[in-house]
Amino acid sequence: MEVLKQIIENINYIGALALFVIGLYTVVTHSNLIKRIIGINIMGTGVFYFFVSIGNVVGGNPPIVDLDNGNLIYINPLPSGLILTGIVVVVSITVYSLSLVVRIYETYGTIDQDEIAKIIDQETFDD
Amino acid sequence: MDDIILRTISRLIIPFIEIYGVFIILHGHVSPGGGFSGGAILGTSLILYTLVFGVEKAQKKFSHKVSDIAESGGILWFILIGLVGIFVTGYFLTNINAGFPIGEPGLLLSAGMIPLLMIGIGIKVASTMITLFHTVIEEAHHGSA
Amino acid sequence: MKKSVILLIFFALFILLVSSLFTMPIENSVFAPSYNATTRYYIENSVRETGAINLVAALITDYRAFDTLGETVVLFTSIVAVVSILRVSKKTKGV
């Protein structure tokens, strides 16, 4: 019962870890490059969710100061502010890797990593 | 995508999305939001325009020349505001001590340089999203043709 | 067969992460270690020092504005990288 209570109280952390593991599973098991990029995005979402959860305070208010009422408890604004940097970085690496995939498709005609490896092997074998 | 329902609805809804984005950017210091979220909303409205009306028409609305100016202008505006602090107090990006008016907290005209920086960030994020989308989709367009 | 082994490994990783989670100081209260003196300083003084009632806005564009400048530089760099990969080929298609 104690374990169940702890799990329910910290369900957002467990959800964040589940997102991270799902993303890692997608990156490792799929050979389609687009699916791998989606996996990296899911992993990033898990990390952001974990980071923002740290700043939460049970019963706290959003960090917009109420000037009429001075005795409110506010949640921690620091993780929310810092995670904006992470979101920007994930957007940047997503677009960069997508453009690399476009180039790979133009060169090899496929976006499956195993087939690309086969084509490269064939080329080195022919030489 | 040539569909009359899509075209009519987007033509109706895109101005409201853009007004909402500008509202989020300008009220960044008194309500939830700010440059990043508002810029993302603005960029999304133009991505919707590109998806519905095609790349050629969207290029006329937001050409590469405009996006180049917006890209560099966002960062240069940010650094310019920071340089005011360096000339007045000797520290980069100083807010109240550098002479920006603090105003009355809670009103729209307050908080010194924060709304100015938010405008710069909003322009930068919006033009970045549009330019990245246009670049990738143009490449696909040319590759298939 | 191979797929179920991989699934089992990842499930074990998930159990490991969750069990190590409960050794971390993660209680969501004002007594948590993350709610430290810096946070209290920002909450108490940011309206007086910056005039912005949105604490996150005061944080990212006043106290840590240099960090935000770095963020915009990251966006700029990503644009330069993507354009250098994609837009070059149109002019040099024959090469």
Side-chain angles (χ1 to χ4, degrees):
Chain A
M1 221 62 276
E2 191 63 33
V3 175
L4 201 65
K5 189 163 164 278
Q6 241 183 354
I7 286 175
I8 290 170
E9 274 177 0
N10 299 310
I11 191 71
N12 45 356
Y13 293 102
I14 294 168
L17 292 179
L19 274 176
F20 184 83
V21 173
I22 289 168
L24 195 63
Y25 177 78
T26 314
V27 170
V28 170
T29 54
H30 288 82
S31 61
N32 189 328
L33 291 173
I34 299 279
K35 285 182 184 171
R36 288 192 163 196
I37 295 169
I38 294 172
I40 291 172
N41 267 290
I42 296 172
M43 274 169 82
T45 312
V47 174
F48 300 153
Y49 190 18
F50 191 88
F51 211 97
V52 172
S53 296
I54 293 172
N56 186 29
V57 172
V58 175
N61 290 69
I64 314 289
V65 176
D66 193 346
L67 294 169
D68 305 326
N69 190 351
N71 295 322
L72 293 176
I73 295 170
Y74 298 106
I75 66 161
N76 195 345
L78 209 46
S80 322
L82 292 182
I83 217 63
L84 279 169
T85 316
I87 294 173
V88 167
V89 171
V90 163
V91 168
S92 304
I93 63 165
T94 304
V95 179
Y96 184 63
S97 35
L98 281 176
S99 64
L100 281 177
V101 169
V102 169
R103 276 277 161 271
I104 286 172
Y105 183 73
E106 280 186 0
T107 310
Y108 294 106
T110 177
I111 52 170
D112 194 286
Q113 205 175 21
D114 298 339
E115 290 179 23
I116 293 168
K118 251 182 236 164
I119 291 170
I120 292 173
D121 278 350
Q122 200 75 41
E123 280 175 358
T124 48
F125 186 71
D126 287 347
D127 294 339
Chain B
M1 215 179 288
D2 205 23
D3 188 62
I4 187 155
I5 299 173
L6 266 180
R7 268 185 283 133
T8 313
I9 296 291
S10 339
R11 208 171 278 148
L12 275 176
I13 214 170
I14 283 175
F16 290 104
I17 300 177
E18 288 183 348
I19 285 175
Y20 185 58
V22 172
F23 168 81
I24 293 270
I25 291 175
L26 290 181
H27 286 71
H29 54 296
V30 290
S31 68
F36 287 99
S37 4
I41 293 169
L42 269 182
T44 313
S45 75
L46 271 156
I47 287 177
L48 176 64
Y49 188 88
T50 312
L51 284 175
V52 174
F53 293 97
V55 188
E56 284 84 12
K57 264 188 165 178
Q59 283 290 1
K60 273 180 204 148
K61 291 261 175 200
F62 201 87
S63 64
H64 284 312
K65 211 171 260 177
V66 178
S67 76
D68 284 353
I69 294 169
E71 289 299 322
S72 331
I75 283 191
L76 287 178
W77 174 249
F78 205 107
I79 295 174
L80 201 74
I81 302 274
L83 285 180
V84 171
I86 238 176
F87 284 127
V88 177
T89 63
Y91 296 101
F92 193 56
L93 286 164
T94 317
N95 189 0
I96 301 300
N97 293 333
F100 289 104
I102 188 166
E104 192 181 332
L107 297 185
L108 184 58
L109 290 174
S110 66
M113 71 173 181
I114 289 178
L116 302 174
L117 291 186
M118 284 293 186
I119 291 169
I121 297 169
I123 292 171
K124 174 86 185 118
V125 173
S127 74
T128 303
M129 291 195 61
I130 300 159
T131 314
L132 290 177
F133 188 73
H134 277 184
T135 313
V136 174
I137 212 164
E138 266 170 37
E139 180 62 31
H141 208 255
H142 280 272
S144 68
Chain C
M1 179 59 205
K2 194 184 159 199
K3 201 164 187 178
S4 59
V5 171
I6 293 174
L7 262 175
L8 201 70
I9 290 171
F10 276 96
F11 191 71
L13 176 68
F14 177 63
I15 296 295
L16 186 73
L17 283 172
V18 169
S19 63
S20 59
L21 175 77
F22 289 114
T23 63
M24 288 172 65
I26 51 167
E27 76 265 37
N28 287 324
S29 69
V30 291
F31 306 108
S34 61
Y35 207 88
N36 54 12
T38 319
T39 305
R40 286 171 207 278
Y41 179 86
Y42 286 147
I43 289 174
E44 280 161 16
N45 297 316
S46 83
V47 173
R48 189 170 50 78
E49 285 183 353
T50 69
I53 61 171
N54 185 350
L55 291 179
V56 178
L59 204 69
I60 64 171
T61 49
D62 190 323
Y63 293 109
R64 288 156 195 258
F66 202 64
D67 188 24
T68 310
L69 177 62
E71 255 169 86
T72 49
V73 171
V74 167
L75 278 175
F76 191 78
T77 316
S78 82
I79 277 221
V80 170
V82 169
V83 167
S84 71
I85 286 182
L86 287 184
R87 225 184 266 169
V88 169
S89 67
K90 250 179 276 167
K91 285 172 192 160
T92 58
K93 204 119 208 177
V95 178

